[in-house]
Amino acid sequence: MQLDQQIHFLTFATADLDAARQFYVNGLAWKPLMDVENEIIFFQIAPGVVLGFFEAGKFAEDIGVADAPSISGATVAHNVDSRDAVRAVADAMVAAGASVLKPPQPGAFGGIFHAQVRDPNGLIWEIAHNPGWHVEADGTVVLA
């Protein structure tokens, strides 16, 4: 058996589901795919890909451990078409309740221009523009 190289759900434990809902739904105007009060909220983020935030206690119960692990050592990235778009998206996320970790600036390699922000539950977002990379209409990411 070979595992297909694809992921359909990214689910993170969240200590404050209401803060996640406030940030993504009210702050960023995302529309939930499913929202179960006091339990979990899912968002369709790309064709075939869903992002979920699971209340930490219920997350721990679901995976069979005493305490839910915290989000650590991971980022999610949102690629945009310009440096100005990096600034605009970072500003919108901060206005919605994110905190700035790295303000918009040139990156260390490959012509990237990016910012990094943290959502109210600790998930780190990179907002990036790299003129050599792009996303095709079918969702395929092309790295040059």
Side-chain angles (χ1 to χ4, degrees), residues 55-141:
E55 190 280 322
K58 292 189 177 8
F59 179 95
E61 181 180 316
D62 188 56
I63 64 173
V65 297
D67 295 314
S70 63
I71 299 170
S72 175
T75 64
V76 295
H78 179 74
N79 295 309
V80 295
D81 291 332
S82 69
R83 289 176 172 223
D84 287 341
V86 169
R87 291 180 189 96
V89 170
D91 287 348
M93 293 182 90
V94 169
S99 58
V100 175
L101 298 175
K102 179 188 281 187
Q105 61 187 268
F109 71 95
I112 194 169
F113 184 83
H114 64 161
Q116 293 180 341
V117 300
R118 184 183 336 221
D119 84 358
N121 283 291
L123 184 61
I124 299 170
W125 282 82
E126 177 183 35
I127 301 89
H129 168 66
N130 187 320
W133 299 1
H134 66 277
V135 181
E136 298 285 343
D138 70 356
T140 302
V141 176

